[in-house]
Amino acid sequence: MSKFFDFFENYYGSRWKNLFTALKEEDQKVLREVFPSDHTWDNLTPFKLLSGCYLPNEDLDYTKEVDADNLRHFYYMDPGSIIAARSLEVQEGETVLDMCSAPGGKGLILTEALMGNGHIDLNEPSRNRRERLKKVVRDHVPDELRNVVSVKGQDGLNFGLKFKDTYDKILVDAPCSGERHLIHRPSELSKWTPKRSKRLASRQYGLLCSALLSVKPRGTIIYSTCSISPLENDGVLEKLKLKKSDSFEVVELEGEMIDKADKTKFGRLFLPDTSGYGPLYIAKIRKV
Ligand SMILES: C[S@@+](CC[C@H](N)C(=O)[O-])C[C@H]1O[C@@H](n2cnc3c(N)ncnc32)[C@H](O)[C@@H]1O
């Protein structure tokens, strides 16, 4: 615990104690309406900061809110995650890759944006998690729009070599330290050293390089994590800048709620002590 605490106190300084307390509290998720319809949800209060979202209501079991075809109306997720996916700004007709897709909350947002026109690969190498992802697609995406979706099981590192210059847009929502969950597991926390975060940062860098090869010239990538570690967030972009500065440019993030996130050197970071949401780091780059 103390190595963990010292590492982050050293980085976040006087802010760390409040941040640590906020991380221990329950995260503030919202109900996002999937494939929004004209239906008005009289029993739900809109979440004013983010379009198409509602505050959870304990009288409503969102998993049971289904339409005539048994499709679920809502997906329960962190506002930071919604913003990460929306920041890719997927348009109808595009070819999209969600490189690390399960369980699929962000992939659903990207799929919706295609409106049945274009193609999206939802990729997840873990078999169990891929089954969960397929269920999320079945439970939320109407039959007639599902033909634009393929579920793949590749190691994300393969895309750069196997599918060069292929996608208009790529989301790399990378596997990360997930400190919010970690702090509830004392046995793992006691074993934590910065090496753990360094190892993940190196894997994330590999995935981002693969995405950079696999996206078309002028195509864009969102790199996101739910980590608070500087090594896994700006650190990964810093390394990319050092090694491949002439292959990409950083794109400024804009849009709903983005001003609630801290500005970092390359992107934005939603932290629960100030924004109430996250942690969620988001950076956007364009291949040049
Ligand atoms: C942060 S989670 C993704 C969450 C997901 N994007 C969502 O919004 O529901 C990261 C995922 O990356 C997957 N993953 C791990 N190693 C990977 C790799 N080498 N290539 C692609 N995905 C990987 C993990 O199994 C995990 O499901």
Side-chain angles (χ1 to χ4, degrees), residues 111-161:
T111 303
E112 265 170 69
L114 290 176
M115 293 303 292
N117 184 11
H119 192 83
I120 183 159
D121 286 328
L122 302 177
N123 182 65
E124 173 53 55
S126 148
R127 184 187 290 251
N128 285 345
R129 291 179 66 86
R130 196 161 62 247
E131 289 310 312
R132 214 169 134 200
L133 171 66
K134 285 181 187 165
K135 180 164 167 34
V136 165
V137 173
R138 277 197 307 273
D139 283 349
H140 295 85
V141 182
D143 265 351
E144 65 277 16
L145 300 181
R146 232 177 269 168
N147 58 336
V148 301
V149 182
S150 302
V151 175
K152 287 192 149 62
Q154 299 271 334
D155 182 331
L157 295 173
N158 292 338
F159 281 88
L161 295 174

Coordinates of all heavy atoms in Angstrom, one line a residue, residues 111-161:
T111 N -20.7 2.2 -32.8 CA -21.6 1.5 -33.7 C -22.8 2.4 -34.0 O -23.3 2.5 -35.2 CB -22.1 0.2 -33.0 OG1 -20.9 -0.6 -32.7 CG2 -22.9 -0.6 -34.0
E112 N -23.4 3.0 -33.0 CA -24.6 3.8 -33.2 C -24.3 4.9 -34.2 O -25.1 5.3 -35.1 CB -24.9 4.5 -31.9 CG -26.0 3.8 -31.1 CD -26.1 4.5 -29.7 OE1 -26.5 5.6 -29.6 OE2 -25.6 3.8 -28.8
A113 N -23.1 5.5 -34.1 CA -22.8 6.7 -35.0 C -22.8 6.3 -36.4 O -23.0 7.1 -37.3 CB -21.4 7.3 -34.5
L114 N -22.5 5.0 -36.7 CA -22.5 4.6 -38.1 C -23.9 4.5 -38.7 O -24.0 4.6 -40.0 CB -21.8 3.2 -38.3 CG -20.3 3.1 -38.0 CD1 -19.9 1.7 -38.1 CD2 -19.6 4.0 -39.0
M115 N -24.9 4.4 -37.9 CA -26.3 4.4 -38.4 C -26.5 3.3 -39.5 O -27.2 3.5 -40.5 CB -26.8 5.7 -38.9 CG -26.9 6.8 -37.8 SD -28.0 6.3 -36.5 CE -29.6 6.3 -37.3
G116 N -25.8 2.2 -39.3 CA -26.0 1.1 -40.3 C -25.3 1.3 -41.6 O -25.5 0.5 -42.5
N117 N -24.4 2.2 -41.6 CA -23.7 2.6 -42.9 C -22.2 2.7 -42.6 O -21.8 3.6 -41.9 CB -24.3 3.9 -43.4 CG -23.7 4.3 -44.7 OD1 -23.0 3.5 -45.4 ND2 -24.0 5.5 -45.1
G118 N -21.4 1.8 -43.1 CA -19.9 1.7 -42.8 C -19.6 0.4 -42.2 O -20.3 -0.6 -42.4
H119 N -18.5 0.3 -41.4 CA -18.2 -0.9 -40.8 C -17.4 -0.7 -39.5 O -16.6 0.2 -39.4 CB -17.3 -1.8 -41.7 CG -17.2 -3.2 -41.2 ND1 -18.2 -4.1 -41.4 CD2 -16.3 -3.8 -40.4 CE1 -17.9 -5.3 -40.8 NE2 -16.8 -5.1 -40.1
I120 N -17.7 -1.5 -38.5 CA -16.9 -1.5 -37.3 C -16.4 -2.8 -36.9 O -17.2 -3.8 -36.9 CB -17.7 -0.8 -36.1 CG1 -16.8 -0.6 -34.9 CG2 -19.0 -1.5 -35.8 CD1 -17.2 0.4 -33.9
D121 N -15.1 -2.9 -36.5 CA -14.6 -4.1 -36.0 C -14.5 -3.9 -34.5 O -13.8 -3.0 -34.0 CB -13.2 -4.4 -36.5 CG -13.3 -5.0 -38.0 OD1 -14.3 -5.6 -38.3 OD2 -12.3 -4.7 -38.7
L122 N -15.2 -4.8 -33.7 CA -15.1 -4.7 -32.2 C -14.1 -5.8 -31.9 O -14.4 -7.0 -32.1 CB -16.4 -4.9 -31.6 CG -17.6 -4.0 -32.0 CD1 -18.9 -4.4 -31.3 CD2 -17.2 -2.5 -31.6
N123 N -12.9 -5.5 -31.4 CA -11.9 -6.5 -31.2 C -11.7 -6.8 -29.7 O -11.5 -5.8 -28.9 CB -10.6 -6.0 -31.8 CG -9.5 -7.1 -31.6 OD1 -9.6 -8.2 -32.2 ND2 -8.5 -6.7 -30.8
E124 N -11.6 -8.0 -29.3 CA -11.4 -8.4 -27.9 C -10.7 -9.8 -27.9 O -11.3 -10.8 -28.3 CB -12.7 -8.4 -27.1 CG -12.6 -9.0 -25.7 CD -11.5 -8.2 -24.9 OE1 -11.6 -7.0 -24.8 OE2 -10.6 -8.9 -24.3
P125 N -9.4 -9.8 -27.5 CA -8.7 -11.1 -27.5 C -9.1 -12.1 -26.5 O -9.0 -13.3 -26.7 CB -7.2 -10.7 -27.3 CG -7.2 -9.4 -26.7 CD -8.5 -8.7 -27.1
S126 N -9.6 -11.6 -25.3 CA -10.0 -12.6 -24.3 C -11.3 -13.3 -24.6 O -12.3 -12.6 -24.9 CB -10.1 -11.9 -22.9 OG -11.1 -12.4 -22.1
R127 N -11.3 -14.6 -24.7 CA -12.5 -15.3 -25.1 C -13.7 -15.0 -24.2 O -14.8 -14.7 -24.7 CB -12.2 -16.8 -25.1 CG -13.4 -17.7 -25.6 CD -13.0 -19.1 -25.3 NE -12.0 -19.6 -26.2 CZ -12.1 -20.4 -27.2 NH1 -13.3 -20.9 -27.5 NH2 -11.1 -20.7 -28.0
N128 N -13.6 -15.1 -22.9 CA -14.7 -14.8 -22.0 C -15.2 -13.4 -22.2 O -16.5 -13.2 -22.3 CB -14.3 -15.0 -20.5 CG -14.1 -16.4 -20.2 OD1 -14.6 -17.3 -20.9 ND2 -13.4 -16.7 -19.1
R129 N -14.3 -12.5 -22.3 CA -14.8 -11.1 -22.4 C -15.4 -10.8 -23.8 O -16.3 -10.1 -24.0 CB -13.6 -10.1 -22.2 CG -13.2 -10.1 -20.7 CD -12.0 -9.2 -20.4 NE -12.3 -7.8 -20.6 CZ -12.9 -7.0 -19.7 NH1 -13.2 -7.5 -18.5 NH2 -13.1 -5.7 -20.0
R130 N -14.9 -11.6 -24.8 CA -15.5 -11.5 -26.1 C -16.9 -12.0 -26.1 O -17.8 -11.4 -26.8 CB -14.6 -12.3 -27.1 CG -14.9 -11.9 -28.6 CD -13.8 -12.3 -29.5 NE -13.5 -13.7 -29.5 CZ -12.4 -14.3 -29.0 NH1 -11.4 -13.6 -28.5 NH2 -12.2 -15.6 -29.1
E131 N -17.2 -13.0 -25.4 CA -18.6 -13.5 -25.3 C -19.5 -12.5 -24.7 O -20.6 -12.3 -25.1 CB -18.7 -14.8 -24.5 CG -18.0 -16.0 -25.2 CD -18.6 -16.2 -26.6 OE1 -19.8 -16.2 -26.8 OE2 -17.7 -16.4 -27.5
R132 N -18.9 -11.8 -23.7 CA -19.7 -10.7 -23.0 C -20.0 -9.6 -24.0 O -21.1 -9.1 -24.1 CB -18.9 -10.2 -21.8 CG -19.8 -9.8 -20.7 CD -18.9 -9.5 -19.5 NE -19.3 -8.3 -18.9 CZ -18.6 -7.6 -18.0 NH1 -17.4 -7.9 -17.7 NH2 -19.1 -6.5 -17.5
L133 N -19.0 -9.3 -24.8 CA -19.1 -8.2 -25.8 C -20.2 -8.6 -26.8 O -21.1 -7.8 -27.2 CB -17.8 -8.1 -26.5 CG -17.7 -7.2 -27.7 CD1 -17.9 -5.7 -27.4 CD2 -16.3 -7.3 -28.4
K134 N -20.2 -9.9 -27.3 CA -21.2 -10.3 -28.2 C -22.6 -10.2 -27.7 O -23.5 -9.8 -28.3 CB -21.0 -11.8 -28.6 CG -19.8 -12.0 -29.6 CD -19.6 -13.5 -29.9 CE -18.4 -13.7 -30.7 NZ -18.0 -15.2 -30.7
K135 N -22.7 -10.5 -26.4 CA -24.0 -10.4 -25.7 C -24.5 -8.9 -25.7 O -25.6 -8.6 -25.9 CB -24.0 -11.0 -24.3 CG -25.3 -10.9 -23.6 CD -25.4 -11.8 -22.4 CE -26.6 -11.5 -21.5 NZ -27.8 -11.1 -22.1
V136 N -23.5 -8.0 -25.4 CA -23.8 -6.6 -25.3 C -24.4 -6.1 -26.7 O -25.3 -5.4 -26.8 CB -22.6 -5.8 -24.9 CG1 -22.8 -4.3 -25.2 CG2 -22.4 -5.9 -23.4
V137 N -23.7 -6.6 -27.8 CA -24.2 -6.3 -29.1 C -25.6 -6.8 -29.4 O -26.5 -6.1 -29.8 CB -23.2 -6.8 -30.2 CG1 -23.7 -6.6 -31.6 CG2 -21.8 -6.1 -30.1
R138 N -25.8 -8.1 -29.0 CA -27.1 -8.7 -29.3 C -28.2 -8.0 -28.5 O -29.3 -7.8 -29.0 CB -27.1 -10.2 -28.8 CG -26.5 -11.2 -29.8 CD -26.9 -12.6 -29.4 NE -26.6 -13.0 -28.0 CZ -25.4 -13.5 -27.6 NH1 -24.4 -13.7 -28.5 NH2 -25.2 -13.8 -26.4
D139 N -27.8 -7.6 -27.2 CA -28.8 -7.0 -26.4 C -29.2 -5.5 -26.7 O -30.1 -5.0 -26.2 CB -28.3 -7.0 -24.9 CG -28.4 -8.3 -24.3 OD1 -29.1 -9.2 -24.8 OD2 -27.9 -8.5 -23.2
H140 N -28.3 -4.9 -27.5 CA -28.5 -3.5 -27.8 C -28.6 -3.0 -29.2 O -29.2 -2.0 -29.5 CB -27.4 -2.6 -27.2 CG -27.3 -2.7 -25.7 ND1 -26.6 -3.7 -25.0 CD2 -27.8 -1.9 -24.7 CE1 -26.7 -3.6 -23.7 NE2 -27.4 -2.5 -23.5
V141 N -28.1 -3.8 -30.1 CA -28.0 -3.3 -31.5 C -29.1 -4.0 -32.3 O -29.2 -5.3 -32.4 CB -26.6 -3.6 -32.2 CG1 -26.6 -3.1 -33.6 CG2 -25.5 -3.0 -31.3
P142 N -30.0 -3.2 -33.0 CA -31.1 -3.8 -33.7 C -30.5 -4.7 -34.9 O -29.5 -4.4 -35.5 CB -31.8 -2.6 -34.3 CG -31.4 -1.4 -33.5 CD -30.1 -1.8 -33.0
D143 N -31.3 -5.8 -35.2 CA -30.9 -6.7 -36.2 C -30.4 -6.0 -37.5 O -29.4 -6.3 -38.1 CB -32.1 -7.6 -36.6 CG -32.0 -8.9 -35.8 OD1 -31.0 -9.2 -35.2 OD2 -33.1 -9.6 -35.9
E144 N -31.3 -5.1 -37.9 CA -31.0 -4.4 -39.2 C -29.8 -3.6 -39.3 O -29.3 -3.2 -40.3 CB -32.3 -3.7 -39.7 CG -32.7 -2.5 -38.9 CD -33.5 -2.8 -37.6 OE1 -33.5 -4.0 -37.2 OE2 -34.1 -1.9 -37.1
L145 N -29.2 -3.2 -38.1 CA -28.0 -2.4 -38.0 C -26.8 -3.2 -37.7 O -25.7 -2.7 -37.7 CB -28.2 -1.3 -37.0 CG -29.3 -0.3 -37.3 CD1 -29.4 0.8 -36.3 CD2 -29.2 0.4 -38.7
R146 N -27.0 -4.5 -37.4 CA -25.9 -5.4 -36.9 C -25.0 -5.8 -38.0 O -23.9 -6.3 -37.7 CB -26.5 -6.6 -36.2 CG -26.0 -6.8 -34.8 CD -26.6 -8.0 -34.1 NE -27.8 -7.6 -33.4 CZ -28.6 -8.5 -32.9 NH1 -28.5 -9.8 -33.1 NH2 -29.7 -8.1 -32.2
N147 N -25.4 -5.7 -39.3 CA -24.5 -6.1 -40.3 C -23.3 -5.3 -40.5 O -22.4 -5.7 -41.2 CB -25.3 -6.2 -41.7 CG -25.9 -4.8 -42.0 OD1 -26.1 -4.0 -41.1 ND2 -26.2 -4.6 -43.3
V148 N -23.2 -4.1 -39.8 CA -22.0 -3.3 -39.9 C -21.0 -3.7 -38.9 O -19.9 -3.2 -38.8 CB -22.3 -1.8 -39.8 CG1 -23.2 -1.3 -40.9 CG2 -22.8 -1.4 -38.4
V149 N -21.4 -4.7 -38.0 CA -20.5 -5.0 -36.9 C -19.8 -6.4 -37.1 O -20.5 -7.3 -37.4 CB -21.3 -5.1 -35.6 CG1 -20.4 -5.4 -34.4 CG2 -22.1 -3.8 -35.3
S150 N -18.5 -6.4 -36.9 CA -17.8 -7.7 -36.8 C -17.1 -7.8 -35.5 O -16.5 -6.8 -35.0 CB -16.7 -7.9 -37.9 OG -17.2 -7.7 -39.1
V151 N -17.2 -8.9 -34.8 CA -16.5 -9.1 -33.5 C -15.2 -9.9 -33.8 O -15.3 -11.0 -34.4 CB -17.3 -9.8 -32.5 CG1 -16.5 -10.1 -31.2 CG2 -18.6 -8.9 -32.1
K152 N -14.1 -9.4 -33.5 CA -12.8 -10.0 -33.8 C -12.1 -10.4 -32.5 O -12.4 -9.8 -31.4 CB -11.9 -9.1 -34.6 CG -12.3 -8.9 -36.0 CD -11.2 -8.2 -36.8 CE -11.1 -8.5 -38.2 NZ -12.2 -8.2 -39.1
G153 N -11.1 -11.3 -32.6 CA -10.4 -11.8 -31.4 C -8.9 -11.7 -31.5 O -8.2 -12.6 -31.0
Q154 N -8.4 -10.7 -32.1 CA -7.0 -10.5 -32.4 C -6.3 -9.9 -31.1 O -6.9 -9.1 -30.4 CB -6.8 -9.5 -33.5 CG -7.4 -9.9 -34.8 CD -6.4 -10.7 -35.6 OE1 -5.2 -10.5 -35.5 NE2 -6.9 -11.5 -36.5
D155 N -5.0 -10.1 -31.0 CA -4.2 -9.3 -30.2 C -4.1 -7.9 -30.9 O -3.8 -7.9 -32.1 CB -2.8 -9.9 -30.1 CG -1.9 -9.2 -29.1 OD1 -2.0 -7.9 -29.0 OD2 -1.0 -9.8 -28.5
G156 N -4.4 -6.9 -30.2 CA -4.4 -5.5 -30.8 C -3.1 -5.2 -31.5 O -3.0 -4.4 -32.5
L157 N -2.0 -5.9 -31.0 CA -0.7 -5.6 -31.6 C -0.6 -6.0 -33.1 O 0.3 -5.5 -33.8 CB 0.4 -6.3 -30.8 CG 0.6 -5.9 -29.4 CD1 1.6 -6.8 -28.7 CD2 1.1 -4.4 -29.3
N158 N -1.5 -6.9 -33.5 CA -1.4 -7.5 -34.9 C -2.0 -6.5 -35.9 O -1.6 -6.6 -37.1 CB -2.2 -8.7 -35.0 CG -1.6 -9.9 -34.2 OD1 -0.4 -9.8 -33.9 ND2 -2.4 -10.8 -33.8
F159 N -2.8 -5.6 -35.5 CA -3.5 -4.8 -36.5 C -2.5 -3.9 -37.4 O -2.7 -3.8 -38.6 CB -4.5 -3.8 -35.8 CG -5.8 -4.6 -35.5 CD1 -5.9 -5.2 -34.3 CD2 -6.8 -4.6 -36.4 CE1 -7.0 -5.9 -33.9 CE2 -8.0 -5.4 -36.1 CZ -8.1 -6.0 -34.8
G160 N -1.5 -3.4 -36.7 CA -0.5 -2.6 -37.5 C 0.1 -3.3 -38.6 O 0.4 -2.7 -39.7
L161 N 0.4 -4.6 -38.4 CA 1.1 -5.4 -39.5 C 0.1 -6.0 -40.5 O 0.2 -5.9 -41.7 CB 1.9 -6.5 -38.9 CG 3.1 -6.0 -38.0 CD1 3.7 -7.2 -37.3 CD2 4.1 -5.2 -38.8

